[in-house]
Amino acid sequence: MQKLRSIVWERPFAKIIDQTKLPNELEFKYLRSLEDYEEAIVQMRVRGAPLIGVTAAYGMATVAIEAAERQDIDFKDAISVAAERLKKTRPTAINLFKAIDRVISAIQEAETPGEAARLAEAEAKRIDREEVEMCEAMAANGLKVLKDRMRVLTICNTGFLATSGIGTALGVIYRGFEAGKIDFVYACETRPVLQGARLTMWELLQAGIPSALITDNTAGLLMAKGLVDGVFVGADRIAANGDTANKIGTLTLAVLAKHFGIPFYVVAPSSSIDPSIPDGNSIPIEERPPDEVLDIRGCRIAPRGANALNFAFDVTPSELITGIITERGIIQPNEISRLF
Ligand code: MRU
């Protein structure tokens, strides 16, 4: 099913699908410098919590390889500048911070810059590989909660474009469809960046999964009409108590699902869990430029002078979550500590 990869390591660079160009053009872009990696993450050429982490890890590897080869660069300085700058790109997905810290700790014992660069590259590849494996394990676990012929609803993009594997929530949907458990997918368009319309619909069409794009505010009507059997979403950061930050609009879906008695599942690898913070109040919520709301793909939709709020994520309280599907099993939100 999945022929393309969202990111490929071609030493010493990463090659990504430029997601800002989808669905109209499938364009690839090489990330050759720290600036390229920063720009790709900030501008959302790559996005989705696990993929942001993998990209940042490869960014550290690219910087380490270059710094090890050049006499005019202090290796330790280059690494700490890269870590600091990459950590400033997007604040919400914990995967970014975990991946960078993993690369840094992998090179701690190295005796030469050359050895450190090799270790950085190996760790980045390991993070990438682990995400692929975790996607498959989450999808296998997700099958256990699927009933027959489900019509499911999802938001944002949680597929192979959001990870280096088959995806999180969309990974469950892929495998559920193959197993004959999922009949139909409703994809919320996901204003303002339209990851649902542009990316999830593109993935679903390629996979041949019957689906319909809906405006974000259609979800309540569909649930009221009894047309939704389950909601599956991803996560950018899950706090120790199970509160979950995900794409803006997820909280609304969770409240609606609770009201209508529809199961609401979060699908996330342990790399998206942050056991160091007690609850969702401590999760930093990214605010993006107002123009993303005021314009749709370059076309102004609000009067000149209008202001806009552009929070990229919201936090769903744990009590609204039916279960968290991880690579290690399906847990209740209050069971996070069991995983660490
Ligand atoms: O702003 P984005 O597109 O990076 O947001 C992505 C999401 O909110 C996803 O649901 C989340 O990262 C989980 S994806 C595997």
Side-chain angles (χ1 to χ4, degrees):
M1 174 181 293
Q2 179 206 346
K3 297 189 184 65
L4 281 168
R5 291 201 82 217
S6 54
I7 191 162
V8 178
W9 176 245
E10 292 186 9
R11 190 177 202 280
F13 307 128
K15 186 173 88 174
I16 57 158
I17 295 178
D18 182 348
Q19 299 189 25
T20 62
K21 299 287 186 345
L22 288 171
N24 299 329
E25 288 153 64
L26 177 60
E27 259 187 47
F28 298 88
K29 183 174 168 42
Y30 280 94
L31 306 181
R32 301 173 193 274
S33 62
L34 176 58
E35 291 71 25
D36 281 356
Y37 282 93
E38 284 178 298
E39 196 268 352
I41 298 173
V42 169
Q43 297 304 325
M44 298 171 73
R45 299 186 196 285
V46 285
R47 28 68 48 204
L51 183 59
I52 290 171
V54 172
T55 306
Y58 281 136
M60 295 295 292
T62 295
V63 167
I65 292 167
E66 188 190 0
E69 280 168 0
R70 282 177 48 176
Q71 307 301 321
D72 58 329
I73 292 181
D74 181 83
F75 186 84
K76 280 195 176 145
D77 279 358
I79 290 294
S80 63
V81 166
E84 197 183 320
R85 282 174 48 180
L86 286 168
K87 282 185 178 182
K88 287 195 180 131
T89 51
R90 295 194 72 191
T92 304
I94 186 65
N95 307 61
L96 173 79
F97 304 91
K98 284 190 174 182
I100 293 168
D101 288 344
R102 269 183 67 169
V103 173
I104 288 175
S105 63
I107 64 179
Q108 283 316 304
E109 306 300 317
E111 285 176 5
T112 63
E115 188 192 351
R118 278 190 296 281
L119 291 171
E121 180 183 10
E123 188 65 10
K125 286 161 89 172
R126 192 171 303 120
I127 291 168
D128 182 353
R129 205 166 47 242
E130 283 176 14
E131 290 295 347
V132 173
E133 290 164 3
M134 288 192 288
C135 284
E136 287 298 343
M138 284 183 281
N141 288 331
L143 284 179
K144 297 174 196 156
V145 303
L146 296 181
K147 311 250 181 321
D148 285 338
R149 312 205 58 187
M150 287 180 85
R151 299 151 303 172
V152 300
L153 187 143
T154 191
I155 186 168
C156 198
N157 171 267
T158 61
F160 81 82
L161 291 169
T163 63
S164 55
I166 58 165
T168 59
L170 209 51
V172 171
I173 291 171
Y174 281 138
R175 295 293 178 249
F177 177 71
E178 287 164 6
K181 300 268 185 190
I182 286 181
D183 268 7
F184 200 84
V185 180
Y186 301 104
C188 292
E189 63 175 345
T190 320
R191 281 274 289 142
V193 180
L194 302 174
Q195 293 94 327
R198 297 187 300 107
L199 309 177
T200 298
M201 289 307 290
W202 186 74
E203 287 201 36
L204 289 170
L205 282 171
Q206 286 187 53
I209 300 179
S211 55
L213 178 64
I214 56 167
T215 58
D216 297 326
N217 39 15
T218 300
L221 176 75
L222 295 180
M223 291 188 195
K225 282 177 168 290
L227 295 172
V228 179
D229 303 309
V231 180
F232 291 81
V233 303
D236 285 81
R237 193 188 294 225
I238 302 176
N241 73 340
D243 290 353
T244 295
N246 190 50
K247 181 51 54 194
I248 190 83
T250 303
L251 169 60
T252 315
L253 296 176
V255 172
L256 284 168
K258 185 76 158 185
H259 178 78
F260 289 107
I262 297 166
F264 180 94
Y265 287 101
V266 170
V267 188
S270 48
S271 56
S272 298
I273 299 177
D274 184 357
S276 75
I277 53 168
D279 58 44
N281 291 321
S282 319
I283 300 178
I285 299 295
E286 178 182 10
E287 274 191 77
R288 295 189 56 85
D291 278 351
E292 286 182 352
V293 174
L294 296 166
D295 292 356
I296 295 187
R297 311 231 91 196
C299 176
R300 196 76 169 185
I301 56 162
R304 293 272 152 220
N307 192 15
L309 296 178
N310 189 7
F311 294 101
F313 301 96
D314 56 28
V315 176
T316 299
S318 57
E319 62 267 24
L320 299 181
I321 298 169
T322 309
I324 302 178
I325 300 170
T326 75
E327 79 279 8
R328 296 191 220 158
I330 302 162
I331 56 168
Q332 288 303 299
N334 62 8
E335 293 175 324
I336 293 287
S337 59
R338 257 183 43 196
L339 298 180
F340 293 91

